[in-house]
Structure formats: C-alpha cells, structure tokens
C-alpha cells in the first residue's frame, strides 16, 4: 500500500517535504511491519526549480527503510 507522509525539512527552503512510502503488512498483524520510503518532494517546487542543488543537498531514498 502506498501513502504519503511528512518528511524532513528541505535543505534549500526549510519547508517540510512530503515522502511517498510503501507500507508492508503481515497477515498476522493489522499494523505495518515495515515502511519503505521511495520518493520525496518539496511542496514549494525546489526539486523542479533547483534540480542540481536539490540532488546535492537532499539524501537519496533508493530502497531506504524509514
């Protein structure tokens, strides 16, 4: 199941970023067993307007458990 949550502050403008996360559930528990972040964006558009600075400043999320 995919959902979005509030992430860390953007290092370019200090606005809280949004993260797309994948929730991994188990048949034995109603709560998610693992949360994997697989996307991050800034609501103010820093990633689009300053793409090179965004790549340098923000940590990659490739397969990182949150």
């Amino acid at each position: 199941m995919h959902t979005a949550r509030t992430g860390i502050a953007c290092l370019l403008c200090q606005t809280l970023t949004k993260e797309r996360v994948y929730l991994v559930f188990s048949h034995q528990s109603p709560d998610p067993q693992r949360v994997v972040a697989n996307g991050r964006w800034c609501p103010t558009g820093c990633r689009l307007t300053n793409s090179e600075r965004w790549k340098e400043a923000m940590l990659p999320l490739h397969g990182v458990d949150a």
Side-chain angles (χ1 to χ4, degrees):
M1 177 176 157
H2 284 91
T3 188
R5 69 178 181 190
T6 302
I8 64 171
C10 174
L11 297 176
L12 301 179
C13 71
Q14 299 305 310
T15 302
L16 290 178
T17 59
K18 296 292 183 181
E19 293 178 345
R20 183 176 51 249
V21 295
Y22 180 72
L23 304 175
V24 179
F25 288 93
S26 167
H27 292 292
Q28 292 84 17
S29 173
D31 299 322
Q33 300 300 302
R34 224 173 54 155
V35 179
V36 179
N38 62 359
R40 180 184 292 146
W41 67 94
C42 180
T44 63
C46 287
R47 184 175 186 177
L48 301 174
T49 58
N50 299 311
S51 61
E52 288 303 316
R53 287 183 59 210
W54 172 272
K55 288 177 191 174
E56 292 173 5
M58 299 304 288
L59 299 172
L61 284 176
H62 306 292
V64 175
D65 287 342

Short mmCIF file of all heavy atoms in Angstrom, two decimals:
data_model
loop_
_atom_site.label_atom_id
_atom_site.label_comp_id
_atom_site.label_asym_id
_atom_site.label_seq_id
_atom_site.Cartn_x
_atom_site.Cartn_y
_atom_site.Cartn_z
N MET A 1 0.84 -1.17 0.00
CA MET A 1 0.00 0.00 0.00
C MET A 1 0.89 1.24 0.00
O MET A 1 1.82 1.36 0.77
CB MET A 1 -0.88 -0.01 1.25
CG MET A 1 -1.75 1.18 1.41
SD MET A 1 -2.79 0.94 2.86
CE MET A 1 -3.17 2.60 3.21
N HIS A 2 0.62 2.18 -0.89
CA HIS A 2 1.36 3.45 -0.95
C HIS A 2 0.57 4.54 -0.23
O HIS A 2 -0.64 4.57 -0.26
CB HIS A 2 1.57 3.88 -2.40
CG HIS A 2 2.63 3.12 -3.08
ND1 HIS A 2 2.38 1.98 -3.79
CD2 HIS A 2 3.97 3.31 -3.16
CE1 HIS A 2 3.51 1.51 -4.28
NE2 HIS A 2 4.49 2.30 -3.91
N THR A 3 1.31 5.43 0.41
CA THR A 3 0.71 6.58 1.06
C THR A 3 1.75 7.70 1.10
O THR A 3 2.89 7.48 0.71
CB THR A 3 0.21 6.23 2.48
OG1 THR A 3 -0.52 7.33 3.01
CG2 THR A 3 1.36 5.89 3.41
N ALA A 4 1.37 8.86 1.54
CA ALA A 4 2.30 9.98 1.66
C ALA A 4 2.35 10.41 3.13
O ALA A 4 1.39 10.27 3.86
CB ALA A 4 1.87 11.15 0.79
N ARG A 5 3.51 10.92 3.53
CA ARG A 5 3.67 11.41 4.89
C ARG A 5 4.60 12.62 4.86
O ARG A 5 5.30 12.87 3.88
CB ARG A 5 4.23 10.33 5.80
CG ARG A 5 5.67 9.98 5.49
CD ARG A 5 6.21 8.96 6.43
NE ARG A 5 7.61 8.67 6.10
CZ ARG A 5 8.29 7.70 6.62
NH1 ARG A 5 7.73 6.90 7.50
NH2 ARG A 5 9.54 7.51 6.28
N THR A 6 4.62 13.34 5.96
CA THR A 6 5.53 14.48 6.10
C THR A 6 6.93 13.95 6.36
O THR A 6 7.12 13.04 7.16
CB THR A 6 5.08 15.37 7.26
OG1 THR A 6 3.76 15.81 7.01
CG2 THR A 6 5.99 16.57 7.40
N GLY A 7 7.90 14.51 5.65
CA GLY A 7 9.28 14.05 5.78
C GLY A 7 10.14 15.07 6.48
O GLY A 7 9.68 15.85 7.32
N ILE A 8 11.40 15.09 6.10
CA ILE A 8 12.37 16.01 6.71
C ILE A 8 12.24 17.39 6.07
O ILE A 8 11.59 17.56 5.05
CB ILE A 8 13.80 15.47 6.53
CG1 ILE A 8 14.18 15.40 5.06
CG2 ILE A 8 13.98 14.12 7.20
CD1 ILE A 8 15.65 15.09 4.80
N ALA A 9 12.88 18.37 6.67
CA ALA A 9 12.86 19.73 6.11
C ALA A 9 13.73 19.79 4.86
O ALA A 9 14.80 19.19 4.80
CB ALA A 9 13.37 20.72 7.14
N CYS A 10 13.25 20.51 3.86
CA CYS A 10 14.02 20.74 2.63
C CYS A 10 15.24 21.58 3.00
O CYS A 10 15.13 22.60 3.68
CB CYS A 10 13.15 21.46 1.61
SG CYS A 10 14.03 21.95 0.12
N LEU A 11 16.40 21.16 2.55
CA LEU A 11 17.63 21.89 2.88
C LEU A 11 17.79 23.17 2.08
O LEU A 11 18.65 23.98 2.38
CB LEU A 11 18.84 20.98 2.69
CG LEU A 11 18.87 19.76 3.61
CD1 LEU A 11 20.05 18.87 3.29
CD2 LEU A 11 18.90 20.18 5.07
N LEU A 12 16.95 23.36 1.07
CA LEU A 12 17.03 24.58 0.28
C LEU A 12 16.11 25.67 0.80
O LEU A 12 16.45 26.85 0.78
CB LEU A 12 16.69 24.28 -1.19
CG LEU A 12 17.59 23.26 -1.88
CD1 LEU A 12 17.13 23.04 -3.30
CD2 LEU A 12 19.03 23.69 -1.83
N CYS A 13 14.90 25.30 1.28
CA CYS A 13 13.95 26.34 1.71
C CYS A 13 13.36 26.10 3.10
O CYS A 13 12.56 26.90 3.57
CB CYS A 13 12.82 26.44 0.69
SG CYS A 13 11.69 25.02 0.70
N GLN A 14 13.72 25.00 3.76
CA GLN A 14 13.29 24.66 5.12
C GLN A 14 11.80 24.30 5.23
O GLN A 14 11.27 24.21 6.33
CB GLN A 14 13.64 25.77 6.12
CG GLN A 14 15.12 26.04 6.22
CD GLN A 14 15.91 24.78 6.55
OE1 GLN A 14 15.60 24.08 7.48
NE2 GLN A 14 16.94 24.51 5.77
N THR A 15 11.11 24.10 4.12
CA THR A 15 9.73 23.61 4.14
C THR A 15 9.76 22.11 4.37
O THR A 15 10.64 21.42 3.87
CB THR A 15 9.04 23.89 2.79
OG1 THR A 15 9.09 25.29 2.54
CG2 THR A 15 7.61 23.43 2.77
N LEU A 16 8.80 21.58 5.14
CA LEU A 16 8.74 20.14 5.35
C LEU A 16 8.41 19.45 4.03
O LEU A 16 7.46 19.83 3.35
CB LEU A 16 7.70 19.78 6.40
CG LEU A 16 8.05 20.17 7.82
CD1 LEU A 16 6.91 19.82 8.76
CD2 LEU A 16 9.33 19.48 8.28
N THR A 17 9.21 18.45 3.67
CA THR A 17 8.98 17.71 2.43
C THR A 17 7.88 16.68 2.63
O THR A 17 7.48 16.38 3.75
CB THR A 17 10.26 16.99 1.98
OG1 THR A 17 10.67 16.09 3.00
CG2 THR A 17 11.37 17.97 1.67
N LYS A 18 7.41 16.14 1.53
CA LYS A 18 6.47 15.03 1.54
C LYS A 18 7.22 13.81 1.05
O LYS A 18 8.08 13.90 0.18
CB LYS A 18 5.27 15.30 0.63
CG LYS A 18 4.43 16.47 1.07
CD LYS A 18 3.73 16.16 2.35
CE LYS A 18 2.83 17.30 2.77
NZ LYS A 18 2.16 17.03 4.02
N GLU A 19 6.90 12.64 1.60
CA GLU A 19 7.52 11.40 1.18
C GLU A 19 6.45 10.41 0.76
O GLU A 19 5.42 10.29 1.41
CB GLU A 19 8.33 10.77 2.32
CG GLU A 19 9.53 11.56 2.73
CD GLU A 19 10.28 10.95 3.88
OE1 GLU A 19 9.75 10.06 4.56
OE2 GLU A 19 11.41 11.38 4.11
N ARG A 20 6.69 9.72 -0.35
CA ARG A 20 5.83 8.63 -0.78
C ARG A 20 6.41 7.37 -0.15
O ARG A 20 7.59 7.09 -0.31
CB ARG A 20 5.81 8.51 -2.30
CG ARG A 20 4.87 7.45 -2.82
CD ARG A 20 4.78 7.41 -4.33
NE ARG A 20 6.10 7.36 -4.96
CZ ARG A 20 6.64 8.36 -5.67
NH1 ARG A 20 6.00 9.49 -5.84
NH2 ARG A 20 7.83 8.22 -6.21
N VAL A 21 5.60 6.66 0.60
CA VAL A 21 6.08 5.47 1.30
C VAL A 21 5.24 4.26 0.92
O VAL A 21 4.08 4.37 0.56
CB VAL A 21 6.08 5.65 2.84
CG1 VAL A 21 7.06 6.72 3.26
CG2 VAL A 21 4.71 5.98 3.36
N TYR A 22 5.87 3.11 1.02
CA TYR A 22 5.24 1.83 0.76
C TYR A 22 5.14 1.11 2.09
O TYR A 22 6.16 0.88 2.76
CB TYR A 22 6.08 1.04 -0.24
CG TYR A 22 5.53 -0.31 -0.57
CD1 TYR A 22 4.39 -0.44 -1.36
CD2 TYR A 22 6.13 -1.47 -0.10
CE1 TYR A 22 3.88 -1.68 -1.68
CE2 TYR A 22 5.63 -2.71 -0.41
CZ TYR A 22 4.50 -2.81 -1.20
OH TYR A 22 3.99 -4.04 -1.50
N LEU A 23 3.92 0.75 2.49
CA LEU A 23 3.70 0.06 3.75
C LEU A 23 3.65 -1.44 3.50
O LEU A 23 2.89 -1.90 2.63
CB LEU A 23 2.39 0.52 4.39
CG LEU A 23 2.25 2.02 4.64
CD1 LEU A 23 0.86 2.35 5.16
CD2 LEU A 23 3.30 2.51 5.60
N VAL A 24 4.42 -2.20 4.24
CA VAL A 24 4.46 -3.66 4.10
C VAL A 24 3.69 -4.25 5.28
O VAL A 24 4.08 -4.06 6.43
CB VAL A 24 5.91 -4.18 4.08
CG1 VAL A 24 5.94 -5.69 3.96
CG2 VAL A 24 6.69 -3.52 2.96
N PHE A 25 2.61 -4.94 4.97
CA PHE A 25 1.77 -5.54 6.01
C PHE A 25 2.02 -7.03 6.12
O PHE A 25 2.54 -7.67 5.22
CB PHE A 25 0.28 -5.31 5.69
CG PHE A 25 -0.15 -3.90 5.87
CD1 PHE A 25 -0.14 -3.00 4.82
CD2 PHE A 25 -0.58 -3.44 7.11
CE1 PHE A 25 -0.54 -1.70 4.98
CE2 PHE A 25 -0.99 -2.14 7.28
CZ PHE A 25 -0.96 -1.26 6.22
N SER A 26 1.62 -7.59 7.25
CA SER A 26 1.71 -9.02 7.51
C SER A 26 0.30 -9.54 7.77
O SER A 26 -0.57 -8.80 8.25
CB SER A 26 2.59 -9.26 8.74
OG SER A 26 2.45 -10.58 9.19
N HIS A 27 0.07 -10.81 7.48
CA HIS A 27 -1.24 -11.40 7.76
C HIS A 27 -1.49 -11.55 9.26
O HIS A 27 -2.62 -11.61 9.69
CB HIS A 27 -1.36 -12.78 7.10
CG HIS A 27 -1.39 -12.70 5.61
ND1 HIS A 27 -2.44 -12.16 4.92
CD2 HIS A 27 -0.50 -13.09 4.68
CE1 HIS A 27 -2.20 -12.21 3.64
NE2 HIS A 27 -1.02 -12.77 3.45
N GLN A 28 -0.45 -11.57 10.05
CA GLN A 28 -0.58 -11.77 11.49
C GLN A 28 -0.85 -10.49 12.28
O GLN A 28 -1.23 -10.55 13.42
CB GLN A 28 0.69 -12.42 12.07
CG GLN A 28 0.93 -13.83 11.63
CD GLN A 28 1.63 -13.91 10.28
OE1 GLN A 28 2.21 -12.94 9.83
NE2 GLN A 28 1.56 -15.06 9.64
N SER A 29 -0.65 -9.33 11.66
CA SER A 29 -0.79 -8.08 12.39
C SER A 29 -1.49 -7.03 11.53
O SER A 29 -1.21 -6.92 10.34
CB SER A 29 0.60 -7.57 12.79
OG SER A 29 0.51 -6.29 13.35
N PRO A 30 -2.37 -6.23 12.12
CA PRO A 30 -3.04 -5.18 11.35
C PRO A 30 -2.14 -3.95 11.13
O PRO A 30 -2.45 -3.10 10.30
CB PRO A 30 -4.23 -4.81 12.23
CG PRO A 30 -3.79 -5.13 13.61
CD PRO A 30 -2.89 -6.33 13.49
N ASP A 31 -1.03 -3.87 11.86
CA ASP A 31 -0.11 -2.73 11.73
C ASP A 31 0.95 -3.03 10.67
O ASP A 31 1.34 -4.18 10.48
CB ASP A 31 0.57 -2.45 13.06
CG ASP A 31 -0.42 -2.08 14.15
OD1 ASP A 31 -1.40 -1.38 13.84
OD2 ASP A 31 -0.21 -2.51 15.30
N PRO A 32 1.45 -1.98 10.00
CA PRO A 32 2.52 -2.21 9.02
C PRO A 32 3.77 -2.76 9.70
O PRO A 32 4.15 -2.33 10.78
CB PRO A 32 2.80 -0.84 8.44
CG PRO A 32 1.83 0.10 9.03
CD PRO A 32 1.06 -0.59 10.08
N GLN A 33 4.40 -3.74 9.07
CA GLN A 33 5.62 -4.33 9.60
C GLN A 33 6.85 -3.56 9.18
O GLN A 33 7.87 -3.59 9.86
CB GLN A 33 5.74 -5.78 9.13
CG GLN A 33 4.58 -6.65 9.58
CD GLN A 33 4.46 -6.69 11.09
OE1 GLN A 33 5.39 -7.08 11.77
NE2 GLN A 33 3.33 -6.30 11.61
N ARG A 34 6.76 -2.89 8.05
CA ARG A 34 7.89 -2.14 7.51
C ARG A 34 7.37 -0.97 6.71
O ARG A 34 6.31 -1.04 6.09
CB ARG A 34 8.70 -3.05 6.59
CG ARG A 34 10.16 -2.95 6.76
CD ARG A 34 10.88 -3.98 5.95
NE ARG A 34 10.50 -3.92 4.55
CZ ARG A 34 11.27 -4.33 3.57
NH1 ARG A 34 12.45 -4.82 3.82
NH2 ARG A 34 10.88 -4.26 2.33
N VAL A 35 8.10 0.14 6.72
CA VAL A 35 7.76 1.32 5.93
C VAL A 35 8.98 1.65 5.09
O VAL A 35 10.06 1.88 5.63
CB VAL A 35 7.40 2.52 6.84
CG1 VAL A 35 7.08 3.74 6.02
CG2 VAL A 35 6.23 2.16 7.75
N VAL A 36 8.82 1.65 3.77
CA VAL A 36 9.93 1.92 2.87
C VAL A 36 9.64 3.22 2.13
O VAL A 36 8.64 3.33 1.43
CB VAL A 36 10.12 0.77 1.86
CG1 VAL A 36 11.27 1.07 0.91
CG2 VAL A 36 10.34 -0.55 2.57
N ALA A 37 10.50 4.22 2.32
CA ALA A 37 10.34 5.50 1.62
C ALA A 37 10.88 5.34 0.20
O ALA A 37 11.98 4.84 0.01
CB ALA A 37 11.10 6.59 2.35
N ASN A 38 10.08 5.74 -0.80
CA ASN A 38 10.54 5.58 -2.18
C ASN A 38 10.29 6.81 -3.04
O ASN A 38 10.25 6.72 -4.25
CB ASN A 38 9.93 4.33 -2.82
CG ASN A 38 8.44 4.40 -2.90
OD1 ASN A 38 7.81 5.36 -2.48
ND2 ASN A 38 7.83 3.36 -3.46
N GLY A 39 10.16 7.97 -2.41
CA GLY A 39 10.03 9.20 -3.16
C GLY A 39 9.93 10.39 -2.21
O GLY A 39 9.36 10.28 -1.13
N ARG A 40 10.51 11.50 -2.60
CA ARG A 40 10.44 12.71 -1.76
C ARG A 40 10.31 13.92 -2.66
O ARG A 40 10.93 13.98 -3.72
CB ARG A 40 11.71 12.82 -0.92
CG ARG A 40 11.70 14.05 -0.02
CD ARG A 40 13.01 14.23 0.73
NE ARG A 40 13.16 13.16 1.71
CZ ARG A 40 14.32 12.62 2.04
NH1 ARG A 40 15.42 13.02 1.46
NH2 ARG A 40 14.39 11.68 2.94
N TRP A 41 9.49 14.88 -2.25
CA TRP A 41 9.37 16.12 -3.00
C TRP A 41 9.09 17.28 -2.06
O TRP A 41 8.62 17.09 -0.95
CB TRP A 41 8.29 16.02 -4.07
CG TRP A 41 6.90 15.90 -3.54
CD1 TRP A 41 6.01 16.93 -3.33
CD2 TRP A 41 6.21 14.72 -3.15
NE1 TRP A 41 4.83 16.44 -2.83
CE2 TRP A 41 4.93 15.09 -2.72
CE3 TRP A 41 6.55 13.37 -3.12
CZ2 TRP A 41 4.00 14.16 -2.26
CZ3 TRP A 41 5.63 12.46 -2.67
CH2 TRP A 41 4.37 12.86 -2.25
N CYS A 42 9.42 18.47 -2.51
CA CYS A 42 9.19 19.69 -1.73
C CYS A 42 7.92 20.35 -2.27
O CYS A 42 7.81 20.57 -3.48
CB CYS A 42 10.38 20.63 -1.87
SG CYS A 42 10.17 22.16 -0.94
N PRO A 43 6.95 20.68 -1.41
CA PRO A 43 5.72 21.30 -1.87
C PRO A 43 5.93 22.65 -2.55
O PRO A 43 5.10 23.08 -3.34
CB PRO A 43 4.88 21.47 -0.60
CG PRO A 43 5.48 20.57 0.41
CD PRO A 43 6.92 20.39 0.03
N THR A 44 7.05 23.32 -2.28
CA THR A 44 7.30 24.63 -2.90
C THR A 44 7.92 24.50 -4.29
O THR A 44 8.07 25.51 -4.98
CB THR A 44 8.21 25.50 -2.02
OG1 THR A 44 9.47 24.86 -1.89
CG2 THR A 44 7.59 25.74 -0.66
N GLY A 45 8.31 23.30 -4.69
CA GLY A 45 8.84 23.10 -6.02
C GLY A 45 10.35 23.23 -6.14
O GLY A 45 10.87 23.39 -7.24
N CYS A 46 11.08 23.15 -5.05
CA CYS A 46 12.54 23.27 -5.09
C CYS A 46 13.18 22.24 -6.02
O CYS A 46 14.16 22.54 -6.69
CB CYS A 46 13.13 23.11 -3.70
SG CYS A 46 12.84 24.51 -2.63
N ARG A 47 12.62 21.05 -6.06
CA ARG A 47 13.20 19.99 -6.89
C ARG A 47 13.12 20.35 -8.37
O ARG A 47 13.99 20.00 -9.16
CB ARG A 47 12.46 18.68 -6.63
CG ARG A 47 13.05 17.53 -7.38
CD ARG A 47 12.38 16.25 -7.00
NE ARG A 47 13.04 15.12 -7.64
CZ ARG A 47 12.72 13.88 -7.45
NH1 ARG A 47 11.73 13.58 -6.64
NH2 ARG A 47 13.35 12.92 -8.06
N LEU A 48 12.07 21.08 -8.75
CA LEU A 48 11.90 21.45 -10.15
C LEU A 48 12.70 22.70 -10.50
O LEU A 48 13.31 22.77 -11.57
CB LEU A 48 10.42 21.67 -10.45
CG LEU A 48 9.51 20.47 -10.19
CD1 LEU A 48 8.06 20.87 -10.38
CD2 LEU A 48 9.89 19.32 -11.08
N THR A 49 12.72 23.69 -9.62
CA THR A 49 13.39 24.95 -9.94
C THR A 49 14.90 24.90 -9.72
O THR A 49 15.64 25.63 -10.38
CB THR A 49 12.79 26.11 -9.12
OG1 THR A 49 12.91 25.82 -7.73
CG2 THR A 49 11.34 26.33 -9.47
N ASN A 50 15.36 24.07 -8.79
CA ASN A 50 16.80 23.96 -8.49
C ASN A 50 17.22 22.49 -8.48
O ASN A 50 17.74 22.00 -7.49
CB ASN A 50 17.10 24.57 -7.11
CG ASN A 50 16.77 26.02 -7.02
OD1 ASN A 50 17.15 26.79 -7.88
ND2 ASN A 50 16.04 26.41 -6.00
N SER A 51 17.02 21.80 -9.57
CA SER A 51 17.21 20.35 -9.58
C SER A 51 18.64 19.92 -9.22
O SER A 51 18.82 18.93 -8.50
CB SER A 51 16.80 19.77 -10.93
OG SER A 51 17.59 20.31 -11.96
N GLU A 52 19.64 20.62 -9.69
CA GLU A 52 21.03 20.24 -9.36
C GLU A 52 21.32 20.44 -7.88
O GLU A 52 21.92 19.58 -7.24
CB GLU A 52 22.02 21.04 -10.22
CG GLU A 52 22.05 20.61 -11.66
CD GLU A 52 22.37 19.14 -11.84
OE1 GLU A 52 23.29 18.64 -11.16
OE2 GLU A 52 21.70 18.48 -12.65
N ARG A 53 20.90 21.58 -7.33
CA ARG A 53 21.11 21.83 -5.90
C ARG A 53 20.32 20.83 -5.06
O ARG A 53 20.78 20.40 -4.01
CB ARG A 53 20.72 23.26 -5.55
CG ARG A 53 21.72 24.27 -6.08
CD ARG A 53 21.39 25.68 -5.68
NE ARG A 53 21.35 25.82 -4.23
CZ ARG A 53 20.57 26.71 -3.59
NH1 ARG A 53 19.80 27.52 -4.28
NH2 ARG A 53 20.59 26.79 -2.29
N TRP A 54 19.12 20.47 -5.52
CA TRP A 54 18.28 19.50 -4.79
C TRP A 54 19.00 18.16 -4.71
O TRP A 54 19.08 17.54 -3.66
CB TRP A 54 16.94 19.35 -5.50
CG TRP A 54 16.08 18.25 -4.96
CD1 TRP A 54 16.09 16.94 -5.35
CD2 TRP A 54 15.10 18.33 -3.93
NE1 TRP A 54 15.18 16.22 -4.63
CE2 TRP A 54 14.55 17.05 -3.75
CE3 TRP A 54 14.63 19.39 -3.14
CZ2 TRP A 54 13.56 16.79 -2.83
CZ3 TRP A 54 13.63 19.11 -2.22
CH2 TRP A 54 13.11 17.83 -2.06
N LYS A 55 19.56 17.70 -5.83
CA LYS A 55 20.26 16.41 -5.85
C LYS A 55 21.46 16.42 -4.91
O LYS A 55 21.76 15.41 -4.28
CB LYS A 55 20.72 16.09 -7.27
CG LYS A 55 19.59 15.72 -8.19
CD LYS A 55 20.13 15.50 -9.59
CE LYS A 55 19.00 15.38 -10.59
NZ LYS A 55 19.52 15.29 -11.97
N GLU A 56 22.16 17.53 -4.84
CA GLU A 56 23.33 17.63 -3.96
C GLU A 56 22.94 17.70 -2.49
O GLU A 56 23.60 17.12 -1.64
CB GLU A 56 24.15 18.85 -4.32
CG GLU A 56 24.82 18.79 -5.67
CD GLU A 56 25.49 20.10 -6.05
OE1 GLU A 56 25.50 21.03 -5.21
OE2 GLU A 56 25.97 20.19 -7.19
N ALA A 57 21.88 18.43 -2.18
CA ALA A 57 21.52 18.71 -0.79
C ALA A 57 20.71 17.59 -0.13
O ALA A 57 20.93 17.28 1.04
CB ALA A 57 20.73 20.02 -0.70
N MET A 58 19.80 16.99 -0.87
CA MET A 58 18.89 16.03 -0.27
C MET A 58 19.46 14.61 -0.36
O MET A 58 20.07 14.23 -1.35
CB MET A 58 17.53 16.07 -0.95
CG MET A 58 16.86 17.43 -0.83
SD MET A 58 16.64 18.02 0.85
CE MET A 58 15.36 16.95 1.42
N LEU A 59 19.25 13.84 0.68
CA LEU A 59 19.73 12.47 0.71
C LEU A 59 18.90 11.59 -0.22
O LEU A 59 17.68 11.76 -0.30
CB LEU A 59 19.64 11.91 2.14
CG LEU A 59 20.46 12.64 3.19
CD1 LEU A 59 20.11 12.11 4.57
CD2 LEU A 59 21.93 12.47 2.90
N PRO A 60 19.51 10.64 -0.91
CA PRO A 60 18.74 9.74 -1.78
C PRO A 60 17.88 8.80 -0.95
O PRO A 60 18.21 8.48 0.19
CB PRO A 60 19.82 8.99 -2.55
CG PRO A 60 21.03 9.08 -1.71
CD PRO A 60 20.94 10.37 -0.96
N LEU A 61 16.79 8.33 -1.54
CA LEU A 61 15.87 7.43 -0.83
C LEU A 61 15.82 6.04 -1.43
O LEU A 61 14.99 5.25 -1.06
CB LEU A 61 14.44 8.01 -0.91
CG LEU A 61 14.14 9.18 -0.01
CD1 LEU A 61 12.73 9.68 -0.28
CD2 LEU A 61 14.27 8.79 1.43
N HIS A 62 16.67 5.71 -2.34
CA HIS A 62 16.58 4.44 -3.06
C HIS A 62 16.63 3.25 -2.10
O HIS A 62 17.67 2.91 -1.57
CB HIS A 62 17.71 4.32 -4.08
CG HIS A 62 17.74 5.50 -5.02
ND1 HIS A 62 16.76 5.74 -5.94
CD2 HIS A 62 18.61 6.51 -5.13
CE1 HIS A 62 17.05 6.83 -6.60
NE2 HIS A 62 18.17 7.33 -6.13
N GLY A 63 15.47 2.63 -1.86
CA GLY A 63 15.41 1.44 -1.05
C GLY A 63 15.74 1.64 0.41
O GLY A 63 16.10 0.70 1.09
N VAL A 64 15.60 2.83 0.92
CA VAL A 64 15.93 3.12 2.32
C VAL A 64 14.72 2.87 3.19
O VAL A 64 13.65 3.38 2.93
CB VAL A 64 16.39 4.59 2.48
CG1 VAL A 64 16.62 4.90 3.93
CG2 VAL A 64 17.64 4.83 1.67
N ASP A 65 14.87 2.03 4.21
CA ASP A 65 13.80 1.84 5.17
C ASP A 65 13.70 3.06 6.03
O ASP A 65 14.69 3.63 6.46
CB ASP A 65 14.06 0.63 6.07
CG ASP A 65 13.86 -0.67 5.33
OD1 ASP A 65 13.21 -0.67 4.28
OD2 ASP A 65 14.36 -1.70 5.83
N ALA A 66 12.47 3.47 6.30
CA ALA A 66 12.26 4.66 7.12
C ALA A 66 11.85 4.29 8.52
O ALA A 66 11.41 3.24 8.80
CB ALA A 66 11.22 5.57 6.49
#
